[in-house]
């Protein structure tokens, strides 16, 4: 397991942007990152310490519509 440390950030504000996928399961809708975080297709996360990060949803007005 990697230990990505972002300088100057609190652990509650930790971003998984530096972690990379070590196990992909697109058929099940989740990926395991090298820091132990499980990221779901709906953008929710399960952190290694058991904390849950809810999905980051966008409103329908923000979605681009293809013509």
């Amino acid at each position: 397991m990697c230990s990505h440390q972002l300088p100057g950030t609190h652990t509650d504000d930790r971003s998984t942007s530096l972690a990379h996928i070590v196990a992909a399961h697109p058929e099940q809708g989740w990926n395991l990152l090298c820091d132990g975080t499980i990221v779901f297709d709906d953008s929710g996360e399960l952190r290694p310490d058991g904390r849950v990060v809810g999905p980051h949803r966008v409103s329908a007005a923000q979605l681009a519509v293809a013509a």
Side-chain angles (χ1 to χ4, degrees), residues 29-52:
W30 62 275
N31 295 313
L32 175 64
L33 302 183
C34 63
D35 66 354
T37 300
I38 298 173
V39 180
F40 298 96
D41 284 350
D42 68 355
S43 73
E45 299 176 6
L46 179 60
R47 301 282 174 88
D49 61 3
R51 289 183 296 138
V52 174

Side-chain angles (χ1 to χ4, degrees), residues 11-65:
T11 56
D12 290 338
D13 299 328
R14 185 175 70 99
S15 171
T16 56
S17 62
L18 294 177
H20 61 274
I21 296 172
V22 294
H25 295 279
E27 71 284 356
Q28 297 176 357
W30 62 275
N31 295 313
L32 175 64
L33 302 183
C34 63
D35 66 354
T37 300
I38 298 173
V39 180
F40 298 96
D41 284 350
D42 68 355
S43 73
E45 299 176 6
L46 179 60
R47 301 282 174 88
D49 61 3
R51 289 183 296 138
V52 174
V53 177
H56 313 288
R57 305 212 186 260
V58 296
S59 67
Q62 294 174 324
L63 295 175
V65 179

